[in-house]
Structure formats: structure tokens, C-alpha cells
Amino acid sequence: MEPITIDVTQNTPYGLQKLDSSISFRGFISFLESKIDQEETVKKTFFSLVLDKLKANPGFSQDIPLSEVTNYKEELSLIYGMLMPPIANEKEVFWALSAPVSPVVFYGTSGFYSLLFQQDGNIRCDLIEDRGVNYKQKMQMLYSFILEKLYHFPPLHQPDMIITLKDDGSGLQKYYRVHIDNRFCEVYAKGSLPELDLDTLRADLQDNFDINVFSSLLPHSLFHFEGFSVITLYDVTAEHAVENIKNTILDRASFDPKTYFNYVAGALKMLVENPRIDFGLMAVLRVNNKLVFDRSSILFSKLMSAATENDTAEQTYLDMATQYFEAPKTLLLRNLGLEDPNKQDFIRILQNDGVEAYALLPVYHDNNVVGVLEVYSKEQKSIDERLLAKLDIALPWIAQMMNNYIDEFNVQIDNVIRDKFTSLQPAVQWRFRETAWHYIRDKALNPQSAEIEGIQFRNVFPLYGAVDIRNSTIERNAALREDLRLQFNILIETFTVLKQKLSFGLADEMIFKCRKWIAEISDETMDNDEMKIRDFLENEAHPFLLHFKEESLQEFGSGAMNPGELVLRNRIDQYFAMIDEDHGSAFANRRELEASMQAINSAVNLYLDLFRIEIQEAYPCYFEKFRTDGIEYDIYIGQSIEPQKRFSELYLKNIRLWQLTTMAAIARITHSLVPQLEKPLDTTQLIFINSGSIDISFRDDERRFDVEGAYNIRYQVIKKRIDKVHVKGSGERLTQPGKIALVYFNNKSAEEYVGYIRYLQEKNTLLDDLEFFDLEDLQGVTGLKALRVGVNLLSDWN
């Protein structure tokens, strides 16, 4: 214990040290006398001995000047012994006595003074760094004390007063809660007490404390303070660190991922009180119950960031995680230098990155492992069980953080599925949410009768478009014919070698069948039955060859293979390599065709996605694509899709112009791809103009929207039948490469589109070759007409 007198506010302008006060221990002596009267245990004897000792010096019962208080070391030591547990270590206890309600300390533990003074002997400026905030709290406490003692005002809840100190050893910030005990203080009015409106003061003191208001109502000069205060500091660094983590997690939206991680890691450093300890986080991400490697999050892991530099991060993570999460437990490696890097690849990776101590802590949320917390250092033996135990208080919040990230990851997956693969698009999602709520509401009222209500959108305007790959069926048949012709020729050569080397007569029959198949394949007037061809190859030709290959392998194992058998085996191997779908020459034409079709459809898809985003900004609409040999799409727009925004036909006209412009752009894009395609292919562009509105509903069986009602089904029928429609009386296909065909019934609709066409011709987007046609009758559909206009594929246009 140390009797050192010091003003902890130094020369700050806040003036609590200017109070009219005197140090007195009479209040404590009275307190001790009352305890003796109440006590019936052996404590009574102890209290009596202390009381006698305090009263033995008459000067101790009088007001004591601050300059003389240090003369009573023994009495002050007894007060410490009475107010603190006897077994308390004063080096670890931050306790002091001060002048009444004043920051002038005159006696304290060595632990308190070690916090108070810097190594150079000066008072830590940290104690007054936030003096504005602390001063307001101190003044609020002072006036609450005056009101309680003199006006019988009920005590108010006081917010914690926190001070921040920089630890000399670690250099990290530490946080201490200040508790000031004024039980042994009294306040006396020097004259008559001012009259106060206590109800108004109650609200002002608690909610909107204004120092100036209270200073004018109750100036310090009116009061004299007597006694002493007890100041105790409690180390709340761990609580503050956890609070920081909690607040960071709750305010996740305010941080980018790197800053978010750094805030959490900084709080963990504060928790373990060691700046040389670092942290990493790995959340457990799964897709279809299989672990996956997400580079954007894994790079917050030391192990994975080190492995990334060697391009082994993904494999390292999957190998290690798969094994670790089968039986997760704490892994502690105090000294990586003593570990065998050949036993575990991750040890070598960490050592190469300078890590000398490493630990993994499994993190649980609702009894499920959601990730691991890495603890690592570049100093050997710097991590032990005691340090890891300090992290226990933060693990629930780390678990929440990782669980949130897993939820965000799963939401991303769901968003992609919804955006790319299902019908639940943002424009109509509100209706699904509303339906889901109605189901939950009805189920709560009557679980037996609750049903999912149908989802319909009435009076929406449909727009249909199709980008088709010209003659895709003919091209596919031609590619198949060329590949099969090559395959059967090689097959004939293989059977010929087999006959020559083994004199096996049955090979002649196989050669005969192969030649017969070649004749059928080469006859373009016949429809080749691909299933029969496949049946012959898989059930006759290939088993025949495999039999002789396996027989030669058995003979080779016994060392008896002759040169002729070796030639045959190599020839059979060459044949099977040639029919490999991914690399063999017998699939070359089909691969070239599929690659070309894929390139076209990818380009069309990409442009339609941009088109979809652009039109949604004007007015929300439903946009759905279908993959055929090309791409088809439906667009529905109307008031029922977006009830919160007034619909106007201007939005419909706008989207129709956009559709026509987009089709022209797609024609230009696909034409520009032709020189890059392995198999040159052209596209045709088709639009169906429906003059009126229709109704659509969501079909649960197909998970998509479809038309509703007998009249509206006619719209669907027309869409499906116009892709191969001919111009009436000519036999010519309406759709042609490099052109846009627009099919319609109503002349008024055509007039609207003619206006758009004239506009795009002026912009040099379309050619000046607009044609008008009557179309041949289709099954159940008569009276169709069409417009057709060429796209400027060469000149620049915007």
C-alpha cells in the first residue's frame, strides 16, 4: 500500500478539485460502530479491535488536511483491510482512497499506482484522454449525490465510467471500469437550500444532463463535502473485446469484408493481451453436403493464404478439412520446428510462411461445427492452453459470425438459382411472399384446411421472341453422318487386320455389316435410325473386338504374344481411342457443331441478360428464357405484376422498341461470330406481336408460369407453331438469316411496329427492305400476317 497524494486530473479545466471539501473518517467510524451493534459472530471482536485502533489517535477522528493524511498509514491500512478481502493481492487490485467526490487520491494499492503512473513517473494522460465524457459523468454523479443526500431524491442509475489505458508490456489498449463509492461522504449546505422542481430535474438528470443548467441551480459554492471516496478500477478488457466483436457482427453491413475481419481480429488480440498473436477464420461451407472452397472467405485464414501462394490452397483445404471435420477437436502445435513437415503438408506450408506456433479451435453453433478459429504466431511456444482458454468467452460470437457467413453464402447460392434457373424472379417474388404469408396465417388458424392459394397475374401484355440456329437439325444430322462414316471405315479396317492376323472367318461377316451400314448412312434420302446403329456397335461390334483384346492381354501376361497379336491389340486400342466422345476423331464433327452452337447461345444469353436488367429499370416485368437449339423468351408486363407503380402503355411501347432493337443487336452479334466458329452457323430472329393482354398463372408441376384460360391458350399454340411457318403461296420460310420476322394478327399492332422499324432504319440499325406477307394456314391457326426486315450487319450503328 502506498500513501501517495496525487491529483489525477492534473491541471485540467474541469474543476472537481476546487470543491469545498475536507477529508474525514468520522463517517467510516460510525459505520463500523453500527456493524459492531448488528454483528453477533466472531467478526464483532475483530471490528471492535479495529475501531479501538482507529479511535486511539484523536486526530484521526477530526478533519484531516490533505497534506497530513499520509501520517496515518496504519489507520489507512486498517480501512483497506476492512473494505477489501484479506487475501487480495494488492498488486492485482486497483483500489484507492480519495478526497470526497474528488479526483485527488491520497492512498492506494501498488496496483493502482502502477496504472496511474507511466514508467517515466508522469501521470498517464490516458486517464484524462476522454475527459469531456468522463467529466460529464462525474458531474452527473456529483449532482445525483447532492440531490440524494439533501433533497431525498432517489438514487439514479449511473452509466459505467470507462477509462482506456495503453499496456506498457503489450502496447495494446486495456479498458477499466471506474467504480466510485461515496458511502462515507456527506454534503452540507452552507446556507438555506434552493427550492427545486424535482420532477423536471429528474428527467434532465437522467436523459439530457446539461452541466450549465445544474451549475446555475446548484453552484458548488453552496456546499461543503466531508469524508472520503473509495475508487476501484476493474479490468473489463475481455468484456470490451467481446462487446467490440458483438457490435461489429451486428453492424456487418457497415464494413467491407477485410475491415470486418480486421476489427474482429483486433478484438481477439485485445482479449489474449498479446500483440504477437494473430488470428484466422475459416467457415465451413458446403454445397449438397460437400465441403467447398470459397476463395473470398478462405483468404482470411493464415494457412489458406500461405497455401494460395503455392497454388495449393483449394486442395490443401479440402484434404485437411475433410479429415478434420470428421472428428473436430482443438489442435495445438506450440513449436512447429519440432513437427515432421513430411507427415502433414500444412505444417510445411506454415513454416515456409514464418509461422512457429499454431492452433485450431473448432467453433460450434447449435451443436454443429460452423468453422475453425486459427491462432498463430511467429514466436515459438507463444501459444498454450491458458491463452486459448481466454478465447472461450468470444467463441459464441465467433460462431455467430461464421454462421452468418454461411447463411450469406447459401443466400448467394439461392439467388443464383432463382436468377438463372427458376421462375421466382424479383418482379414477382412479392406475390410468392404474400402467398407464403397467407398460408402461414391460415395454417395457424386451421392447420387441416390451410392450402397454398394459386398465383395468377391478370391482364398482362406478353412479348415473345426466338433466336433460332438455322437448319440446326440438318447440321446435326450431317455431323452425325460424317462421324459415323469415319467410324465405320475405321471399324472395317480393324476387322480386316483381325482377319489377316488371326484368320478368323467371322470377321468377314462383321465387315459386310459395316459396309451395309455405311451405305445406309451415305444415303441422305433415308432417315438413319441412330438407336439401331448404336445397338449394333455396342452389342455386336465392340464386344467382338474387346474379346480379342482381352485374350491377347492374357497371352501377353504369360509371355506368349506374337507380333501379329501385338499389331491387332494396338489397332483395337486405336479404334476405341478414336470413338472417345471428348477427344476422338469419330466425334469431331459433332463436337465442332456443339461448340459452335454453345458459343452462339452463350452470346445470345449474355445479351438477353443485359436486356433483362435494362428493361427492369423502367418497369418491373417477368422475363423467362428457354433453351432449344437456340433461345426463346417470354416477357410479361402489366399492372398486376407491380401493383405499387401505375402502369401505362408507354412502358409497353418502350419495351417493344427495346425488344426490336435487341433482336437487331443479336443478329449482328451472331453474324460477327461466324468467322470464329468451328462450324459456321447462322441465326434467325422471330417476334410474335400479341395485340391484347392475357392472364398467366404459376404451374406448380413445372415450376414456371403459363397462360390461363381457353382464349389465352391460343397465344401459346401460335408461339409453338410459327417458327417454321412459310410465306403464303411461295413455300419460302418466313425466318431468314440476317433478318427479323414479326408475326401478327392485328393491323394496328403492325402499324406500331412499322413506326419502330422506320425509326431504326433512320439510325442505320435496320435495312430499307421492309416486306409484308400473308402466311400459310397452320393447324388451328388462320389469318396470320408478317413483317420482315433486314438487319444492317456491317455498318456501325448505335
Side-chain angles (χ1 to χ4, degrees), residues 132-289:
V133 176
N134 284 343
Y135 173 68
K136 182 176 180 179
Q137 287 183 271
K138 291 172 185 174
M139 295 300 292
Q140 190 172 9
M141 178 186 66
L142 173 67
Y143 283 111
S144 177
F145 176 73
I146 293 172
L147 292 171
E148 181 184 349
K149 290 290 186 177
L150 299 180
Y151 289 89
H152 308 292
F153 199 81
L156 295 174
H157 169 72
Q158 298 293 328
D160 289 339
M161 187 183 302
I162 304 295
I163 61 172
T164 306
L165 300 175
K166 190 173 183 180
D167 185 72
D168 290 330
S170 67
L172 296 172
Q173 295 292 333
K174 300 200 69 173
Y175 295 83
Y176 296 87
R177 181 172 65 246
V178 182
H179 179 262
I180 301 177
D181 184 356
N182 291 319
R183 285 182 295 167
F184 308 113
C185 296
E186 291 295 336
V187 57
Y188 302 98
K190 295 179 179 180
S192 59
L193 287 173
E195 293 186 4
L196 301 175
D197 183 348
L198 296 182
D199 290 335
T200 302
L201 284 181
R202 184 194 303 271
D204 291 341
L205 191 63
Q206 187 75 60
D207 301 326
N208 187 26
F209 179 71
D210 188 333
I211 295 174
N212 295 325
V213 170
F214 280 87
S215 296
S216 63
L217 292 174
L218 300 170
H220 300 166
S221 58
L222 296 180
F223 305 100
H224 172 73
F225 298 88
E226 182 181 292
F228 67 93
S229 297
V230 182
I231 300 174
T232 310
L233 305 183
Y234 298 95
D235 188 343
V236 292
T237 304
E239 298 172 24
H240 195 81
V242 173
E243 189 70 15
N244 280 355
I245 294 173
K246 181 182 76 172
N247 292 336
T248 302
I249 292 172
L250 294 177
D251 198 23
R252 168 70 179 88
S254 300
F255 301 97
D256 62 74
K258 186 175 181 180
T259 305
Y260 180 55
F261 169 75
N262 288 340
Y263 266 79
V264 173
L268 293 176
K269 282 176 182 283
M270 188 190 308
L271 192 59
V272 299
E273 302 177 272
N274 190 336
R276 295 174 294 280
I277 301 296
D278 289 297
F279 300 89
L281 301 172
M282 286 188 284
V284 180
L285 303 179
R286 288 187 169 92
V287 174
N288 298 329
N289 292 322

Side-chain angles (χ1 to χ4, degrees), residues 61-80:
S61 298
Q62 306 300 317
D63 288 352
I64 302 174
L66 183 63
S67 60
E68 298 178 10
V69 74
T70 56
N71 297 332
Y72 299 93
K73 293 181 182 179
E74 186 176 356
E75 288 83 357
L76 295 177
S77 178
L78 287 172
I79 292 177
Y80 170 77

Side-chain angles (χ1 to χ4, degrees), residues 456-655:
Q456 300 93 21
F457 292 100
R458 306 292 185 186
N459 298 319
V460 295
F461 294 90
L463 296 92
Y464 169 78
V467 180
D468 190 34
I469 296 177
R470 186 67 162 180
N471 297 328
S472 56
T473 302
I474 295 173
E475 294 288 350
R476 186 174 283 108
N477 288 339
L480 175 63
R481 186 178 297 111
E482 290 300 317
D483 285 342
L484 287 176
R485 186 182 291 115
L486 173 62
Q487 182 174 352
F488 275 104
N489 281 326
I490 301 297
L491 193 55
I492 289 171
E493 293 176 7
T494 305
F495 281 125
T496 301
V497 172
L498 188 152
K499 176 185 175 184
Q500 292 172 350
K501 301 301 180 183
L502 301 182
S503 300
F504 197 77
L506 195 58
D508 273 335
E509 182 186 7
M510 299 303 295
I511 293 171
F512 169 77
K513 290 182 177 181
C514 289
R515 286 175 175 162
K516 185 176 179 181
W517 278 116
I518 288 177
E520 290 190 16
I521 292 167
S522 300
D523 188 354
E524 297 184 9
T525 62
M526 297 180 61
D527 291 331
N528 297 317
D529 192 334
E530 193 174 348
M531 292 300 296
K532 289 183 178 180
I533 296 173
R534 186 183 298 274
D535 181 69
F536 167 73
L537 291 171
E538 294 181 355
N539 296 320
E540 293 189 54
H542 292 172
F544 194 101
L545 296 178
L546 290 172
H547 168 78
F548 287 100
K549 177 182 177 180
E550 292 169 1
E551 188 175 80
S552 65
L553 286 173
Q554 292 174 359
E555 292 179 0
F556 180 70
S558 64
M561 179 176 285
N562 59 49
E565 292 172 332
L566 182 59
V567 170
L568 175 60
R569 195 191 69 173
N570 290 338
R571 188 70 188 210
I572 294 174
D573 287 341
Q574 290 172 9
Y575 169 77
F576 281 108
M578 182 266 294
I579 64 171
D580 177 73
E581 291 191 20
D582 295 326
H583 306 288
S585 57
F587 281 84
N589 288 285
R590 279 171 284 183
R591 282 200 305 272
E592 289 177 358
L593 178 63
E594 289 302 322
S596 298
M597 294 176 68
Q598 182 64 38
I600 290 174
N601 285 331
S602 295
V604 173
N605 261 320
L606 178 61
Y607 199 86
L608 286 177
D609 284 341
L610 296 174
F611 170 54
R612 174 177 59 85
I613 294 170
E614 189 174 1
I615 61 177
Q616 297 288 353
E617 293 177 357
Y619 193 92
C621 58
Y622 181 81
F623 188 110
E624 186 174 24
K625 292 182 297 185
F626 306 92
R627 174 73 183 272
T628 57
D629 278 345
I631 304 291
E632 298 179 32
Y633 62 86
D634 281 315
I635 304 173
Y636 301 109
I637 186 171
Q639 187 67 72
S640 60
I641 288 183
E642 180 48 86
Q644 303 302 320
K645 183 175 182 178
R646 189 173 69 86
F647 179 74
S648 165
E649 286 201 10
L650 290 175
Y651 295 119
L652 176 61
K653 293 180 178 180
N654 185 57
I655 202 172

Side-chain angles (χ1 to χ4, degrees), residues 384-395:
D384 55 24
E385 289 84 355
R386 184 177 178 182
L387 182 142
L388 297 181
K390 293 181 179 180
L391 295 168
D392 288 346
I393 191 175
L395 289 182

Side-chain angles (χ1 to χ4, degrees), residues 2-36:
E2 301 180 37
I4 302 174
T5 302
I6 187 70
D7 178 0
V8 298
T9 61
Q10 293 184 332
N11 295 317
T12 59
Y14 294 103
L16 281 177
Q17 69 274 30
K18 297 179 181 179
L19 295 176
D20 180 9
S21 64
S22 59
I23 298 173
S24 168
F25 295 96
R26 288 189 293 273
F28 182 78
I29 291 173
S30 299
F31 167 77
L32 203 54
E33 289 173 340
S34 66
K35 293 293 288 184
I36 292 171

